[in-house]
Amino acid sequence: MNHPDEFAARHIGPDRAAQQAMLARLGVDSVEALLDETLPSAIRSDDSLALPAARSEAEVVAALRAMAAENRPRTSLIGMGYATTHTPPVIQRNVLENPAWYTAYTPYQPEISQGRLEALLNFQTVVSELTGLEVANASLLDEATAAAEAMTMARRLSKSPSARFVVHHDTHPQTIAVLGTRAEPVGIDLVVGGLDELSPEAGGCFGALFSLPTSTGAVVDWRQAIETVHQLGGLAVVATDLLACTLITPPGELGADIAIGSAQRFGVPLGFGGPHAAFLSAHTAAARALPGRLVGVSVDTEGRPALRLALQTREQHIRREKATSNICTAQVLLANMAGLYAAWHGPAGLRAIATRAAGAVNDLAGRLAAAGLTLRHDAAFDTITVDGVDADAVVAAARDRGIDLRRVDDTSVGISWGEATPDVRADVLAAFGLSAAVDPSPADLRPDWLPDGMKRTSEFLTQSVFHRLHTEHEMLRYLRRLADRDLALDRTMIPLGSCTMKLNATTEMMSITWPEFADLHPFAPDDESVGTRRLIAELEAWLAEITGYDAVSVQPNAGSQGEFAGLLAIRAYHRSRGDEQRTVCLIPSSAHGTNAASAVMAGFDVVVVATDPDGNVDVDDLDAKLAASGDCVAAVMITYPSTHGVFEEQITEICARVHDAGGQVYIDGANLNALVGLARPGRFGADVSHLNLHKTFCIPHGGGGPGVGPIGVRAHLAPFLPGDPLGGDDQPVGPVSAARFGSAGILNIPWAYIALMGPQGLRDATAAAILSANYVAARLADHFPVLYTGAKGRVGHECIIDLRAITKASGVTVDDVAKRLIDYGFHAPTMSFPVAGTLMIEPTESEPLAELDRFCDAMIAIRGEIDRVLDGDWAVADSPLRHAPHTAEDLLADEWTRPYRRSEAAYPLPSLRADKYFAPVSRIDGASGDRNLICTCDSLEALATLR
């Protein structure tokens, strides 16, 4: 592992000498001896992974180039919610390709996340103002998922007793398919039809979804339909297009309660289906029911405006089986790009882009109509549908000219235009058998191109951020200023338990922006995506080999969606055998909150199983719950290694007991970083697992997204993997995301990681992760109790340190330690999960020994500060722990009245004098922000001018 050409040696932080020093600290002779003390022998895999040998970085890039060359994207006019777009180079290079942005973690520590939070606030402002509703989240996974979230939100808020949710038939088919997947398990009667379904005689509804524009391109005034929904006691959801909203009356002004859609066309590549930021906006009164994340404005201890996540943050972890959403990973990186795209162009630029797209399509519409062809709708934005033609012939003729049109049905063809669509109007006309000279520029929009009352008259994006960043110099500096406010992996280790933050290598990342991968429409004919689909097939096969399962689906576009898909597979399997009574899902009390939320979404009844004092599943309580549930047992969900950071010795016995009861075993793959190359869930008793490719397999967190959460299953569950969104209603299980392969645009990253590491490198990485966690636990054990260890005193790939006794004696809380770590230049470990009053630490294999020691030195120094509180040198309220983090502005104030020196606040360790990060704000008052909810950026700017 010391050869400079071996990628694994560059990925794994501790080299051979460092590992020997770490082993000496632990009192073991070898890594293998440590693994023998850590992993139960019953789960160990004796054979090596049957994967290709490790390749060099040059070889991997060459292989990716070869697969890219197999892709042959045509000019896509398919539409269906996806549009060609230009990613501004300044945003591509300085955000999408910049580790300061893509290696950041979810902003749960807001003081060190002010830059990305401001970018998200911009995104929320864009969505709110363009849709005409007061609040928007930041963000959701894709448009179809957003529609499903809106459906369940409407059910929660509606006063109607009806179980019906009506979806207008002219809605994107993939959205209807995902709605169907989400509706049936929770007893929602999904009705797809026309406006005649909106009547008391039809059964009423708790909500309805309309599209503006519709899937086939109609611009419809939905005011009367929305009013009808309100009269029935329901909520009206409108799926919309942000670019269209610059020209047409937005949903909020039509009376909609909720607006949803995708921000993909705001500078985010097609990527064969994702990742793309979806959005959901609503009225202020519904803010507490909003799924996902909401950025709000609060103040810090000095009254400075400061941003943080507001209200229902991590709802699923708080409410568990009572949660209405399991959304955990969002699409933050893509939402930031979309918000910055809007700032780059400004309202005038967005209108110009929209007008060009609308002009091209309207020009085509006029020419097609003049030739006697039938247009389905009189009004359109960027999409038209031509009826009464031989659809197959027209689509084939267009394909011969390098163009993809949408085959709506046997006699109808759709045409959609995007920002980056080249002028192919003559070729489109030729595909319909028409010949005409086409002017270089489309004609001006006809005065009657929209119905009366459907042209936008309200202003939008008047805030200065959307007007001052139109030169590259200003945008470049703005992006740098935002990045400098944050802590990401490019500055420091992020030692979060259960949220593996490891190296996202440049070679792994570089191909995602290559146009051969990035410009693929998800519904393009298969001959255009040969290379990408080969990459996906290889990745699925490799993941199956790594996990010991028989089949893998990469469709779920987040870990939470992987949980949902895995549970749907279990549910469908039981039903296929006539065991519809099997509805009980057993979940340990220590599990991630998303487990319980996902189980309820999949139609299961959650029964909680206790954990014993050592953090393991209480087997006696498991037996009691199995006996009480009888033949209703459907599944058990277990995180392995456990959420407490240890390998449970009885895992194979637990699996056997559940199988004996007729249930299936779901192993949450959040902690797979402790298993790869050493143990395979599919072989030691599990039936299904989701994997977090944004953790173990190096897709970066991006500030809280993108993520990919594929599932692996044993052969008997393979028929119940997620279906094709365009595959029809006869599939055993429907789709869980809008695109067949989910966020396919970032699957290059884990493919490259596995190819670079090879079987031995993957195993070495897991071993190094376990070694690093045990080293940190050993260094800190004399200063902070380590809460849980395995049978031989070892932890897995993470450890929990217990501050409860320290807090009781000193008053110093986990929050105080977390905020004080910022002064030392570190992101905090996971706070108070899974045990309140503790910190869960995961160092990962990528951190070198020097960084591990730097973190341990910081924690030990903080323990020294706690001892000074205990000794009476400082009252806890006047200590640097309680006042942390210390901003430069605070430290440079003319007056200093605190009982500790400024140098103690700023430079608690000598090494910080050479390289110091200063938080831009001090500790943030979250409660103040919830009481005074501000979720758009105009008020932040106004607050800032008051200081």
Side-chain angles (χ1 to χ4, degrees):
M1 280 178 49
N2 286 330
H3 194 286
D5 289 334
E6 292 182 358
F7 176 82
R10 302 186 188 278
H11 174 85
I12 298 172
D15 61 14
R16 191 179 303 278
Q19 290 190 22
Q20 288 302 316
M22 296 161 73
L23 291 166
R25 178 69 185 238
L26 296 173
V28 290
D29 294 332
S30 66
V31 170
E32 289 303 315
L34 174 64
L35 296 176
D36 288 340
E37 294 181 5
T38 304
L39 277 78
S41 58
I43 72 166
R44 292 289 294 273
S45 295
D46 295 329
D47 55 329
S48 61
L49 296 172
L51 297 172
R55 300 179 228 182
S56 70
E57 292 180 77
E59 289 170 333
V60 164
V61 170
L64 287 166
R65 289 285 186 198
M67 285 187 283
E70 292 180 310
N71 289 340
R72 303 291 174 85
R74 300 183 182 91
T75 297
S76 179
L77 306 185
I78 295 172
M80 297 177 66
Y82 303 91
T84 60
T85 184
H86 288 300
T87 305
V90 65
I91 295 174
Q92 176 173 316
R93 185 177 180 88
N94 294 288
V95 178
L96 179 58
E97 298 175 349
N98 183 351
W101 287 87
Y102 68 68
T103 69
Y105 182 59
T106 306
Y108 294 134
Q109 293 291 333
E111 293 84 358
I112 54 176
S113 308
Q114 290 298 291
R116 79 197 80 130
L117 283 168
E118 181 172 327
L120 286 176
L121 195 72
N122 293 344
F123 173 80
Q124 288 180 179
T125 303
V126 171
V127 172
S128 173
E129 298 223 340
L130 289 179
T131 60
L133 292 159
E134 297 91 356
V135 294
N137 63 13
S139 52
L140 292 174
L141 301 172
D142 61 23
E143 181 169 339
T145 305
E149 294 292 336
M151 175 178 67
T152 55
M153 180 179 169
R155 191 184 201 188
R156 180 177 175 182
L157 295 174
S158 172
K159 296 180 174 61
S160 170
S162 174
R164 298 172 81 245
F165 186 75
V166 177
V167 181
H168 190 267
H169 57 79
D170 200 356
T171 297
H172 293 317
Q174 70 271 22
T175 298
I176 294 174
V178 172
L179 283 169
T181 304
R182 289 282 294 272
E184 188 272 333
V186 293
I188 292 174
D189 181 12
L190 188 75
V191 179
V192 181
L195 297 181
D196 57 325
E197 296 290 351
L198 299 176
S199 68
E201 294 76 20
C205 65
F206 68 81
L209 184 145
F210 312 102
S211 297
L212 182 67
T214 68
S215 185
T216 59
V219 176
V220 182
D221 185 343
W222 293 113
R223 288 180 178 91
Q224 185 56 55
I226 289 170
E227 178 57 28
T228 301
V229 174
H230 290 162
Q231 291 171 0
L232 293 171
L235 274 69
V237 181
V238 173
T240 194
D241 181 315
L242 292 180
L243 195 63
C245 287
T246 66
L247 300 180
I248 66 178
T249 303
E253 295 180 19
L254 299 179
D257 301 288
I258 303 170
I260 63 99
S262 170
Q264 176 268 316
R265 71 184 311 161
F266 274 33
V268 179
L270 289 167
F272 205 39
H276 306 140
F279 61 83
L280 188 153
S281 60
H283 292 296
T284 303
R288 292 183 181 273
L290 217 64
R293 300 177 184 136
L294 182 68
V295 177
V297 183
S298 186
V299 293
D300 72 358
T301 53
E302 299 302 315
R304 291 175 286 244
L307 307 174
R308 26 74 80 183
L309 297 180
L311 297 179
Q312 75 295 338
T313 300
R314 303 190 87 179
E315 178 209 32
Q316 69 280 359
H317 285 285
I318 297 167
R319 302 184 71 239
R320 297 173 61 83
E321 65 271 18
K322 295 182 176 63
T324 57
S325 169
N326 72 343
I327 293 293
C328 188
T329 300
Q331 301 284 30
V332 170
L333 184 66
L334 299 316
N336 284 339
M337 289 177 62
L340 292 164
Y341 174 93
W344 176 247
H345 289 290
L350 294 176
R351 281 196 202 97
I353 294 168
T355 300
R356 286 195 298 271
V361 162
N362 274 266
D363 182 68
L364 274 174
R367 296 173 186 275
L368 291 165
L373 294 174
T374 302
L375 300 181
R376 181 172 297 188
H377 308 297
D378 294 331
F381 166 57
D382 69 345
T383 298
I384 55 175
T385 297
V386 184
D387 292 328
V389 297
D390 182 341
D392 289 332
V394 172
V395 169
R399 192 174 300 173
D400 289 341
R401 290 167 172 79
I403 298 168
D404 287 330
L405 301 178
R406 176 186 176 187
R407 184 189 184 282
V408 179
D409 55 41
D410 289 348
T411 60
S412 303
V413 172
I415 305 166
S416 292
W417 214 266
E419 175 194 11
T421 303
D423 189 359
V424 292
R425 287 173 294 153
D427 288 317
V428 171
L429 292 170
F432 285 91
L434 304 178
S435 176
V438 176
D439 297 331
S441 298
D444 292 337
L445 289 173
R446 304 187 313 272
D448 61 344
W449 74 285
L450 289 178
D452 290 341
M454 288 304 293
K455 291 182 181 178
R456 181 162 193 150
T457 58
S458 56
E459 292 190 2
F460 57 90
L461 304 184
T462 59
Q463 300 85 355
S464 65
V465 72
F466 302 108
H467 295 267
R468 68 175 190 263
L469 301 174
H470 302 333
T471 67
E472 184 159 340
H473 236 153
E474 280 301 302
M475 176 60 81
L476 183 67
R477 290 167 177 165
Y478 179 65
L479 296 176
R480 176 59 186 265
R481 285 195 298 272
L482 294 185
D484 282 349
R485 296 175 190 170
D486 290 4
L487 275 182
L489 275 177
D490 64 326
R491 289 181 187 255
T492 178
M493 73 181 290
I494 302 180
L496 289 154
S498 282
C499 275
T500 305
M501 297 290 291
K502 63 203 291 182
L503 172 69
N504 314 121
T506 306
T507 298
E508 296 158 7
M509 297 291 299
M510 62 191 301
S511 69
I512 65 170
T513 55
W514 294 353
E516 298 90 341
F517 291 119
D519 292 347
L520 280 172
H521 191 288
F523 304 137
D526 282 351
D527 66 327
E528 298 181 39
S529 58
V530 172
T532 290
R533 288 185 295 106
R534 179 158 71 87
L535 181 150
I536 291 170
E538 289 183 4
L539 177 62
E540 288 178 339
W542 294 350
L543 293 175
E545 169 64 17
I546 288 167
T547 57
Y549 288 115
D550 299 297
V552 168
S553 168
V554 297
Q555 188 185 113
N557 50 11
S560 59
Q561 305 310 294
E563 292 175 7
F564 178 57
L567 291 167
L568 286 179
I570 290 173
R571 181 174 183 265
Y573 168 74
H574 286 311
R575 290 189 159 209
S576 74
R577 294 159 55 87
D579 290 337
E580 295 193 12
Q581 82 285 355
R582 292 195 177 275
T583 60
V584 170
C585 185
L586 305 169
I587 300 180
S589 60
S590 62
H592 291 91
T594 55
N595 286 177
S598 297
V600 171
M601 286 169 50
F604 290 111
D605 301 315
V606 172
V607 172
V608 177
V609 178
T611 53
D612 66 21
D614 295 323
N616 301 311
V617 173
D618 186 324
V619 177
D620 290 338
D621 190 53
L622 174 67
D623 286 340
K625 298 293 170 57
L626 287 171
S629 301
D631 68 353
C632 293
V633 173
V636 66
M637 293 186 81
I638 304 173
T639 301
Y640 199 79
S642 76
T643 312
H644 292 131
V646 297
F647 288 91
E648 300 190 35
E649 296 286 334
Q650 294 180 293
I651 183 62
T652 55
E653 185 178 344
I654 290 170
C655 293
R657 293 185 186 201
V658 174
H659 284 146
D660 288 344
Q664 297 286 287
V665 177
Y666 179 106
I667 286 189
D668 185 317
N671 294 339
L672 198 73
N673 210 44
L675 295 176
V676 176
L678 301 177
R680 301 174 191 172
R683 291 192 182 178
F684 63 69
D687 300 288
V688 55
S689 294
H690 88 268
L691 324 176
N692 286 6
L693 300 191
H694 50 291
K695 297 180 183 180
T696 302
F697 294 95
C698 292
I699 292 176
H701 281 62
V708 178
I711 57 170
V713 296
R714 293 177 62 193
H716 65 283
L717 293 181
F720 309 105
L721 288 170
D724 186 334
L726 302 184
D729 298 329
D730 58 348
Q731 302 174 109
V733 175
V736 297
S737 71
R740 181 170 34 154
F741 300 109
S743 291
I746 50 175
L747 295 178
N748 306 26
I749 302 168
W751 184 94
Y753 172 66
I754 296 170
L756 288 162
M757 295 291 283
Q760 187 61 45
L762 292 171
R763 187 184 191 279
D764 289 343
T766 304
I770 292 171
L771 172 61
S772 294
N774 279 278
Y775 175 78
V776 168
R779 277 213 61 191
L780 297 182
D782 292 340
H783 309 277
F784 302 94
V786 176
L787 186 56
Y788 298 114
T789 58
K792 296 182 180 178
R794 301 301 183 190
V795 300
H797 67 312
E798 59 193 8
C799 62
I800 298 175
I801 60 173
D802 192 352
L803 273 70
R804 289 174 294 183
I806 293 170
T807 298
K808 185 175 182 180
S810 67
V812 176
T813 66
V814 288
D815 280 70
D816 295 330
V817 174
K819 304 310 179 187
R820 184 57 170 153
L821 272 170
I822 296 171
D823 289 330
Y824 286 80
F826 283 105
H827 194 294
T830 300
M831 296 193 305
S832 293
F833 179 80
V835 181
T838 66
L839 293 172
M840 184 160 58
I841 304 165
E842 181 185 351
T844 87
E845 74 274 10
S846 293
E847 299 301 339
L849 179 57
E851 187 73 354
L852 300 178
D853 281 334
R854 192 171 75 88
F855 173 74
C856 291
D857 290 345
M859 289 296 296
I860 293 167
I862 287 172
R863 178 59 210 246
E865 293 175 346
I866 295 172
D867 289 340
R868 293 190 65 178
V869 172
L870 288 167
D871 293 341
D873 293 352
W874 299 319
V876 66
D878 292 327
S879 70
L881 292 148
R882 184 59 50 83
H883 284 294
H886 297 82
T887 69
E889 183 178 2
D890 295 339
L891 293 163
L892 293 172
D894 293 337
E895 188 175 346
W896 181 265
T897 59
R898 298 175 185 177
Y900 52 91
R901 298 187 305 275
R902 297 177 203 248
S903 59
E904 289 178 299
Y907 304 116
L909 288 176
S911 59
L912 293 167
R913 292 182 177 274
D915 185 14
K916 172 67 180 178
Y917 167 82
F918 287 100
V921 294
S922 55
R923 201 171 306 194
I924 295 172
D925 185 344
S928 172
D930 285 348
R931 289 193 303 269
N932 305 285
L933 192 63
I934 300 170
C935 302
T936 52
C937 64
D938 53 336
S939 297
L940 176 65
E941 293 176 348
L943 283 170
T945 62
L946 296 177
R947 296 190 58 250

